[in-house]
Amino acid sequence: MVRSRTLSSQLADGIILLVLVIIALTSLYPLWYTIALSFSDQAAANAGQVTIWPSGFNLTSYRIILDDEKFFRAFGVSIKRVLIGGALNFLLTVIMAYPLSRSAKQFPGRNIYMWLLVFCMLFSGGLIPLYITITTLGMQNTIWSLVLPGAVPIFNVILIMNFFRSLPKELDEAAVVDGAGPWYSLLRIYIPLSVPAMATVTLFSIVGHWNSFFDGLIYMSKPQNYPLQTYIQQLVVNITPDLMKEMTTEQLIELMKASNKTLNAAKLMVAMIPILLIYPFLQRYFVHGIVLGSVKE
Amino acid sequence: MKLKWIVGCLVVLMLLTTACGSSGTEPNPDTNQTEGTKDTEKSPDSGKEDPFGKYDEPITLTLGKSISTKNTNLPNGDTVDNNEYYRYIEKKLNVKVTHAWQTETQEAYQQKLSVSIASQDLPDAFIVNEKQLKQLVEADLIADLTDVYNKYSSPLIKSYYESYGDRVLKRATFDGKLMAFPGTEIGGQHNMTWIRQDWLDKLGLQPPKTLDELLAIAKAFTEKDPDGNGKNDTYGFTGLPTLAGWNTVNGFDPIFGALHAYKGQWLKDQAGSTVYSSTLPEMKTALAKLHELYAAGIIDKEFPVRKDSTELIAANKVGIVFGPWWIPYWPLPDSVKNDPKAEWKPYTAPLDSDGKFNTYDQNPTGSFLVVKKEYAHPEAVAKVLNMEYEGIRKLDPAAKDIYKDLNVSWVIWPFAIQIGFEDDAYRVHLELKAAWDAKDPSKLNDELKMWYENVKKNAENPKKDLAVWSDSMSRMDGSAEIDPSKLTVIRNVFFGQTKTMELKWAILEKMENETFLKIILGEEPVDKFDSFVQEWKKLGGDQITKEVEEASKK
Amino acid sequence: MKDKKTLFHYHLMLSPGILLLFVFSIIPMLGIVMAFQNVIPGKKIWKQEWIGWDNFAFMLQIPDIKQVVLNTVLIASMKIAAGIIIPVVFALLLHEVQVRWFKRTVQTIVYLPHFMSWVILAGIMVNILSLDGIVNQIAGLFGMEPVMFLASNTWFRHIVVWSDVWKEFGFGTIVYLAALTGINPSLYEAAEIDGASRLKKLQYITLPGIMPTIILLTTLSLGNVLNAGFDQIFNLYNPLVYSSGDIIDTYVYRLGLVQMQYGLATAVGLLKSVVAILLIAISYRLAYKFANYRIF
């Protein structure tokens, strides 16, 4: 793109840049605000005095979160979960998307599988039957209860399947002529050509695993086994009127003390940091991707 | 393809068998044994019906428990499921208490418990709310504790329950059977009126007695710049979108009470029939009053949309706060921290035209300790509870010194359920006050001693340490105002839910909250109240009233 | 082409996933029968009382069900529409930018709000929209009276929709950016040689290139037509805006039904699923019939 640009084109560029900057600033504010809040004094935060800068700068909230070995143990559980769960998601996404990207002519039965997936994505028996299944299989208190139930990321499978389908058909035909089997063309042709899409769905599953907290609470019977988000979730409580009705005064006072805006903000920040670190790394793959033309004959 | 069908069938099979396993269990030999002893009342084995009797063989008791592992103050690596209390109980009773599962917060406990109940994966003993209690009874999953209570509960526990008449035990009784040990809510949690004394002084005002006086103060706080910052940014008080109710700091309850209006209560009218307080004419008067105040800018304009009504308190924008005796624990410390001049004082005001302070009674119970039906030793739960309360109340000399001076909370004992006299908060206050007046803390227990010290510290160095200030203000000043002789308590005749309520209560409540707020804000005329009442009755209110009337007769 | 061996490998590739789905998704679907039961938690599933369609009938009996469903569908549809258009437009704008670091930075920043919880965002929004908040201050410069936005039935739905779009568009953009990289650069090169304008390239190359992704995501998001976003509305609403903001989920929550009423909760869930699969199947058929395009 070294061609000289016309004036109107430059003007268009300028407007685009301006719009993007404004949007970016509005998106940045909540994060900025949350950081300011997390470093503020609690009384000032409770009074709504924080707007842009921390009020009464202090590190108490971070000290509470990073307080003990529990944080790091939970962090370890989360890392393990992301690694195992992410890998599993990736593997299953790829090997399921490939046969599904064949046409019904190439692969009779493909449509049945497809609608089965869509059905599984939309319908659910709810929490209780799943819980019974997991306890029956003896998986509670293990990492498997966190990674296996969501091991097939149907949404991702559909995305990747579509991406595979959009690749030029000739690629495949060439491979078939070479006598390559499906595994070969998946590994050697489809995956290398789909790096941006792969990066996208990998991000989705990492974020998904990293952020989920409810399953950790339900399937782990002791706080020692919680993943990070479950652990952090338990540090701060949201006061709901329903909850208040069932509590004794002592519990209520405890709750009031624990309900804490600065801690809540710090919790959010700590939980976000790993995602913020991973993102730029994956980003290079979907902003620029690889140049398709260079591979294509 | 075949393989997955096989695995699938296996899983289904497993589901079926385990599920049957837990429900189909015959009463096991141990249960028979206890029943056996029951029949032969005076068995030679004297330990059997002793509320504190030790088991010959060690038994276990598993709990589901909500307990924070943060700041427990436990020494020597003790944990919430392995500590001196648990070991003491094991030593004395031969009952080993363990946790089947635990959560850090009450919210998580509720979620975990729901799943636990629905999948019948229950611990031996656990604490539930009233709705869950009813469902457990209906599903026949929990043990009948009638005999256990009669034979094994200690005189102390019984005396606590008896102090409520049948108001507490009745709630856990189904078809004449006691199905749980109810917790008791300690009374005196009504909203009183806290006022900034320093603002009063600054504007040369006297503490209020009547509603008009209170409102005059609120008006002055709004208009006369009590914080002296030269800006018109203060209000008399703020409120809540739901207007009033239990455990709600900033609820308008004291104003309602002075006008004989109550929100959301089931009352007996003079003819003795049941009425819903929100539909009575007094409510209309009260709403009209609130509208007047709102229009005059005395009530915080944005109270309906605030997510956190205590923000204005912390920011020192209001000089009047409606809240229970314990608000010096929260949120008042934020106010004092942000403005050390803030001097909060509690008042039993405003009074009605007869000079009475009206409030309504609180639900005396909301949580219930239940025992799984299959558990072989339900009486062990009663025994542990007996031991626990002898310990908490410092009546057991052997348990008295466990964790002495370490400020370990009572909830570390196995059952985090509160059982006591209704006026405990006030009794404790009197004890503390008596010691303070006599300048002699020697007879107080550890907890009260600590408060005593804090009252002393705060008297010497006011507000120096806000935690000390909180104890002192709550336990001395705040709880002095819950003296039962200062209050007129209107009895609510029904807590809980009737059949029609399940279907229609949400819509009626929605209508109520929406209409009331709109009247206060002036979006609807005050007379809208009359059509609200008509509509309320038509949409199921009448039917529900009938059901409540019947239920409250039982 | 479809020799037996290849087909065998296709089935083999699918089998681990299908097996997992079978165990963790299909078997638990037995629980759907709860929609037709009066579920007493703790009782065995086959010992529950069968009540046919009563749980569904219950929903219809709710006196203001019409308004609640209308709110839900309105808010959800607005979110779906805006949730497609905005990320596409944004991805295209970003695609036009040549400065690499700028592109990356903007993209990173706009994706951040996705990780904010509504509890915190609601706090920020209450401040911004308060009577002396920044929005009213700006409006005041133009001589407008301050508005209590969150108490206004005229404004509430817009606030809900646009704040949700603002929170999620950065995340939605990612998929389109990935799709944009899939467009063959040689097409652009050819167009440059032909002297095509920017708009023409957009119209004839870029848009058609990502159209399948747009159609796919639109179809899948139709499944959310009854999900208007519980967390968000729960944190933003108040009784004054019930008439424009009360949705099925918040209503059911206030009924106190979510906690232990599994029968009804399952029925609500089932209803949503059925509506979702119907809408998706319809759009699948339409796309196939009129565009000869298979979405899945």
Side-chain angles (χ1 to χ4, degrees):
Chain A
M1 310 263 167
V2 276
R3 299 175 68 246
S4 63
R5 303 211 152 226
T6 61
L7 191 66
S8 72
S9 181
Q10 275 171 356
L11 190 69
D13 278 340
I15 292 171
I16 289 174
L17 286 183
L18 189 69
V19 169
L20 292 179
V21 167
I22 291 172
I23 293 174
L25 285 181
T26 67
S27 295
L28 200 56
Y29 177 68
L31 182 76
W32 184 260
Y33 171 81
T34 312
I35 295 174
L37 204 57
S38 72
F39 286 111
S40 293
D41 173 68
Q42 201 191 325
N46 286 347
Q49 286 165 356
V50 180
T51 45
I52 294 184
W53 302 109
S55 171
F57 185 88
N58 73 81
L59 297 166
T60 320
S61 303
Y62 289 95
R63 221 169 277 141
I64 294 175
I65 293 182
L66 305 172
D67 165 33
D68 46 7
E69 86 283 12
K70 277 187 225 128
F71 174 84
F72 295 97
R73 190 164 44 202
F75 196 90
V77 175
S78 274
I79 295 285
K80 197 165 143 197
R81 171 179 189 164
V82 166
L83 289 179
I84 300 179
L88 215 59
N89 284 163
F90 182 80
L91 187 76
L92 286 163
T93 305
V94 178
I95 61 171
M96 293 184 81
Y98 177 72
L100 291 172
S101 69
R102 312 293 85 190
S103 69
K105 259 191 221 123
Q106 287 168 308
F107 178 23
R110 176 253 169 223
N111 285 352
I112 298 175
Y113 281 117
M114 199 63 238
W115 280 104
L116 181 74
L117 255 63
V118 174
F119 182 75
C120 285
M121 181 167 70
L122 295 176
F123 285 82
S124 140
L127 178 62
I128 304 305
L130 184 59
Y131 179 85
I132 295 176
T133 311
I134 291 206
T135 47
T136 310
L137 295 170
M139 292 196 314
Q140 72 274 44
N141 291 324
T142 69
I143 193 87
W144 302 112
S145 63
L146 305 180
V147 297
L148 285 184
V152 183
I154 301 176
F155 183 81
N156 294 356
V157 173
I158 295 178
L159 271 185
I160 294 293
M161 181 217 55
N162 257 272
F163 202 88
F164 282 171
R165 280 203 314 198
S166 71
L167 295 175
K169 296 276 171 296
E170 309 87 62
L171 287 174
D172 218 29
E173 283 154 17
V176 172
V177 173
D178 292 348
W183 293 97
Y184 181 88
S185 58
L186 172 63
L187 287 176
R188 286 302 163 87
I189 300 171
Y190 280 79
I191 292 181
L193 284 178
S194 317
V195 174
M198 298 285 169
T200 308
V201 296
T202 306
L203 179 76
F204 288 168
S205 45
I206 290 176
V207 169
H209 276 295
W210 186 262
N211 279 347
S212 59
F213 67 93
F214 191 68
D215 50 359
L217 173 68
I218 296 297
Y219 299 129
M220 300 296 164
S221 57
K222 295 279 164 67
Q224 292 91 289
N225 298 332
Y226 286 163
L228 189 63
Q229 292 285 6
T230 314
Y231 167 77
I232 290 179
Q233 202 73 28
Q234 300 262 297
L235 286 179
V236 180
V237 274
N238 299 317
I239 304 172
T240 64
D242 284 353
L243 216 58
M244 290 173 75
K245 280 183 208 147
E246 282 157 22
M247 279 188 303
T248 63
T249 315
E250 318 271 321
Q251 284 171 323
L252 199 72
I253 294 171
E254 276 308 305
L255 187 73
M256 300 292 185
K257 284 188 197 158
S259 128
N260 179 329
K261 285 181 185 168
T262 58
L263 188 57
N264 223 331
K267 162 187 112 166
L268 196 84
M269 289 317 301
V270 169
M272 263 176 90
I273 288 166
I275 295 285
L276 291 182
L277 292 180
I278 284 179
Y279 185 70
F281 173 75
L282 285 170
Q283 193 190 33
R284 73 180 69 194
Y285 295 107
F286 43 77
V287 176
H288 293 292
I290 50 151
V291 187
L292 198 64
S294 63
V295 184
K296 202 190 151 203
E297 304 305 317
Chain B
M1 288 290 260
K2 241 179 205 160
L3 183 71
K4 65 194 171 213
W5 286 108
I6 295 171
V7 174
C9 294
L10 273 179
V11 173
V12 173
L13 207 68
M14 278 152 88
L15 278 176
L16 297 181
T17 44
T18 43
C20 290
S22 50
S23 84
T25 333
E26 294 292 307
N28 59 35
D30 280 333
T31 333
N32 286 340
Q33 225 168 38
T34 14
E35 272 165 22
T37 33
K38 188 186 351 170
D39 292 339
T40 52
E41 283 279 71
K42 299 231 160 46
S43 75
D45 189 354
S46 58
K48 280 288 177 195
E49 281 182 20
D50 178 356
F52 302 97
K54 185 173 179 176
Y55 286 91
D56 301 333
E57 296 294 319
I59 63 166
T60 60
L61 172 64
T62 63
L63 310 180
K65 185 168 177 179
S66 157
I67 175 89
S68 170
T69 56
K70 286 261 167 202
N71 308 325
T72 54
N73 297 333
L74 289 172
N76 315 326
D78 279 1
T79 60
V80 292
D81 58 347
N82 182 10
N83 54 57
E84 283 297 327
Y85 292 145
Y86 282 37
R87 291 193 284 272
Y88 179 69
I89 284 170
E90 191 176 355
K91 192 177 95 192
K92 284 285 186 157
L93 295 176
N94 224 352
V95 177
K96 182 159 181 54
V97 181
T98 57
H99 291 180
W101 47 263
Q102 78 193 41
T103 62
E104 292 282 315
T105 64
Q106 192 64 21
E107 193 179 7
Y109 178 80
Q110 285 304 327
Q111 289 165 331
K112 183 91 185 154
L113 183 67
S114 302
V115 178
S116 206
I117 293 176
S119 57
Q120 298 140 22
D121 189 12
L122 295 174
D124 294 333
F126 49 102
I127 296 167
V128 300
N129 63 30
E130 189 158 26
K131 196 165 185 176
Q132 289 158 337
L133 174 69
K134 282 182 182 159
Q135 288 171 330
L136 286 165
V137 169
E138 211 171 331
D140 196 21
L141 286 175
I142 51 173
D144 174 2
L145 299 175
T146 320
D147 285 342
V148 169
Y149 175 74
N150 289 334
K151 290 178 184 155
Y152 292 96
S153 281
S154 65
L156 179 70
I157 298 281
K158 285 180 179 165
S159 70
Y160 287 142
Y161 285 135
E162 279 155 13
S163 74
Y164 289 81
D166 67 347
R167 287 191 300 141
V168 167
L169 284 182
K170 189 178 84 175
R171 300 271 292 281
T173 307
F174 297 79
D175 296 329
K177 291 184 206 150
L178 183 70
M179 301 306 288
F181 295 111
T184 61
E185 273 293 343
I186 290 175
Q189 312 283 344
H190 60 273
N191 280 0
M192 53 185 80
T193 304
W194 293 77
I195 303 180
R196 279 283 292 264
Q197 188 63 43
D198 53 319
W199 286 13
L200 282 182
D201 293 347
K202 187 166 180 198
L203 303 178
L205 296 163
Q206 289 305 308
K209 286 250 180 309
T210 65
L211 183 58
D212 286 339
E213 286 169 24
L214 177 74
L215 299 182
I217 291 171
K219 194 165 166 17
F221 282 177
T222 309
E223 292 166 358
K224 295 200 176 148
D225 190 25
D227 57 355
N229 67 352
K231 283 187 228 155
N232 181 17
D233 60 353
T234 50
Y235 292 102
F237 46 90
T238 183
L240 289 171
T242 46
L243 306 185
W246 278 111
N247 283 341
T248 50
V249 178
N250 287 327
F252 298 127
D253 307 71
I255 296 183
F256 282 136
L259 295 167
H260 300 272
Y262 308 93
K263 187 162 179 285
Q265 305 297 310
W266 293 99
L267 311 176
K268 284 260 182 274
D269 67 5
Q270 286 179 339
S273 50
T274 306
V275 288
Y276 183 59
S277 64
S278 292
T279 61
L280 300 178
E282 288 86 352
M283 183 50 86
K284 186 177 176 182
T285 320
L287 291 174
K289 193 86 197 166
L290 286 173
H291 167 60
E292 196 186 309
L293 296 173
Y294 186 86
I298 291 169
I299 305 178
D300 162 29
K301 276 261 179 298
E302 292 187 85
F303 85 86
V305 299
R306 269 186 212 289
K307 289 303 117 188
D308 181 359
S309 70
T310 60
E311 208 169 80
L312 286 187
I313 301 173
N316 287 305
K317 299 285 178 219
V318 293
I320 298 169
V321 172
F322 303 117
W325 61 268
W326 46 258
I327 62 169
Y329 284 108
W330 180 90
L332 292 190
D334 288 337
S335 153
V336 178
K337 189 155 186 210
N338 288 328
D339 178 4
K341 290 195 301 295
E343 196 70 61
W344 290 97
K345 280 247 152 47
Y347 293 98
T348 298
L351 308 177
D352 68 5
S353 42
D354 302 329
K356 288 192 290 192
F357 182 84
N358 299 309
T359 182
Y360 45 92
D361 73 338
Q362 169 182 13
N363 193 345
T365 181
S367 54
F368 301 85
L369 171 63
V370 298
V371 182
K372 179 167 80 167
K373 192 165 194 197
E374 287 84 22
Y375 184 56
H377 310 281
E379 74 290 344
V381 175
K383 288 185 183 181
V384 172
L385 192 63
N386 296 339
M387 294 287 295
E388 173 174 326
Y389 267 88
E390 300 290 320
I392 292 172
R393 306 288 182 221
K394 309 288 175 200
L395 299 169
D396 178 354
K400 221 170 89 180
D401 291 339
I402 300 179
Y403 297 137
K404 196 170 162 51
D405 298 329
L406 287 175
N407 195 17
V408 170
S409 164
W410 68 272
V411 294
I412 298 294
W413 284 92
F415 302 123
I417 191 162
Q418 182 171 284
I419 303 174
F421 297 115
E422 195 161 19
D423 53 354
D424 258 353
Y426 188 61
R427 286 188 196 212
V428 167
H429 163 76
L430 288 182
E431 212 180 318
L432 180 65
K433 182 109 182 359
W436 178 248
D437 291 344
K439 299 285 169 230
D440 173 20
S442 60
K443 286 197 206 98
L444 300 176
N445 72 24
D446 284 1
E447 196 173 27
L448 268 84
K449 242 181 223 158
M450 192 182 75
W451 295 339
Y452 182 93
E453 286 307 315
N454 285 347
V455 173
K456 201 167 142 200
K457 275 189 217 157
N458 193 56
E460 287 159 3
N461 257 322
K463 298 185 206 161
K464 186 150 177 283
D465 176 345
L466 281 182
V468 164
W469 178 84
S470 296
D471 267 343
S472 174
M473 281 306 286
S474 298
R475 305 290 170 177
M476 282 298 273
D477 299 55
S479 46
E481 298 301 315
I482 57 176
D483 179 350
S485 67
K486 288 186 177 178
L487 313 172
T488 309
V489 179
I490 312 297
R491 286 270 174 232
N492 183 332
V493 295
F494 180 76
F495 301 95
Q497 244 194 351
T498 68
K499 199 75 203 150
T500 310
M501 274 169 134
E502 279 176 22
L503 175 65
K504 298 199 167 143
W505 194 247
I507 175 71
L508 295 178
E509 213 175 25
K510 172 173 168 175
M511 206 167 74
E512 176 180 328
N513 288 333
E514 192 175 1
T515 314
F516 287 11
L517 259 190
K518 285 191 167 168
I519 290 176
I520 294 175
L521 263 68
E523 290 179 20
E524 298 277 4
V526 176
D527 285 337
K528 174 83 181 170
F529 182 84
D530 303 323
S531 59
F532 154 73
V533 174
Q534 293 309 314
E535 192 78 345
W536 186 89
K537 289 183 170 163
K538 209 175 75 201
L539 282 176
D542 271 342
Q543 174 67 21
I544 291 170
T545 308
K546 252 182 238 150
E547 290 174 0
V548 168
E549 172 111 51
E550 255 160 55
S552 62
K553 271 185 201 141
K554 273 183 201 159
Chain C
M1 268 234 275
K2 50 175 183 180
D3 57 303
K4 280 240 169 74
K5 213 169 137 204
T6 310
L7 285 183
F8 170 77
H9 282 291
Y10 287 163
H11 286 296
L12 188 69
M13 284 171 158
L14 285 164
S15 58
I18 299 292
L19 176 67
L20 282 166
L21 282 180
F22 196 83
V23 175
F24 295 107
S25 185
I26 299 195
I27 291 179
M29 273 184 212
L30 287 176
I32 289 179
V33 297
M34 289 192 292
F36 304 95
Q37 293 176 327
N38 175 22
V39 178
I40 313 281
K43 263 190 180 175
K44 295 287 154 301
I45 200 163
W46 55 89
K47 286 194 184 158
Q48 304 284 5
E49 179 196 355
W50 290 91
I51 52 171
W53 296 92
D54 281 11
N55 283 325
F56 297 89
F58 177 98
M59 284 185 262
L60 295 178
Q61 282 177 44
I62 294 172
D64 46 1
I65 183 77
K66 265 191 216 147
Q67 186 199 39
V68 172
V69 171
L70 182 77
N71 287 341
T72 311
V73 173
L74 261 178
I75 292 175
S77 318
M78 282 162 77
K79 278 185 180 176
I80 289 171
I84 297 289
I85 296 166
I86 304 290
V88 169
V89 171
F90 192 78
L92 292 174
L93 284 180
L94 211 55
H95 194 61
E96 289 294 312
V97 175
Q98 303 301 322
V99 191
R100 196 180 276 205
W101 66 265
F102 179 81
K103 198 165 165 176
R104 280 202 185 185
T105 314
V106 168
Q107 202 197 336
T108 308
I109 290 172
V110 296
Y111 129 114
L112 294 175
H114 170 78
F115 296 95
M116 298 277 158
S117 68
W118 276 115
V119 180
I120 289 205
L121 286 180
I124 297 178
M125 290 178 59
V126 169
N127 285 339
I128 291 175
L129 298 171
S130 69
L131 285 175
D132 48 8
I134 183 139
V135 176
N136 272 316
Q137 280 177 18
I138 293 172
L141 295 181
F142 297 96
M144 275 176 264
E145 285 291 306
V147 180
M148 212 148 76
F149 289 101
L150 289 170
S152 152
N153 281 309
T154 345
W155 289 100
F156 190 74
R157 278 188 204 135
H158 286 284
I159 291 170
V160 167
V161 170
W162 294 107
S163 61
D164 183 68
V165 167
W166 166 81
K167 180 175 186 284
E168 300 298 337
F169 82 92
F171 206 69
T173 306
I174 294 173
V175 182
Y176 296 108
L177 284 173
L180 284 169
T181 61
I183 298 173
N184 192 339
S186 57
L187 293 177
Y188 288 109
E189 283 156 25
E192 298 260 323
I193 292 163
D194 293 347
S197 72
R198 264 175 136 171
L199 276 179
K200 286 268 184 261
K201 280 187 274 180
L202 179 71
Q203 190 183 349
Y204 292 107
I205 306 172
T206 316
L207 270 183
I210 59 169
M211 199 42 93
T213 312
I214 296 177
I215 294 177
L216 175 75
L217 290 187
T218 311
T219 307
L220 291 180
S221 65
L222 284 179
N224 283 324
V225 74
L226 290 180
N227 292 325
F230 173 80
D231 269 350
Q232 182 195 15
I233 293 184
F234 186 71
N235 279 302
L236 284 174
Y237 80 161
N238 61 69
L240 290 172
V241 290
Y242 277 159
S243 58
S244 66
D246 202 13
I247 56 169
I248 298 176
D249 292 339
T250 50
Y251 188 90
V252 170
Y253 175 87
R254 284 205 315 281
L255 274 175
L257 289 171
V258 265
Q259 305 160 348
M260 297 291 278
Q261 293 273 354
Y262 294 107
L264 199 98
T266 316
V268 172
L270 184 61
L271 200 70
K272 285 184 180 178
S273 299
V274 169
V275 171
I277 205 158
L278 277 178
L279 284 174
I280 290 178
I282 290 171
S283 50
Y284 179 91
R285 290 302 299 170
L286 290 178
Y288 185 56
K289 204 168 163 194
F290 294 108
N292 197 20
Y293 173 73
R294 280 198 191 275
I295 295 169
F296 320 120

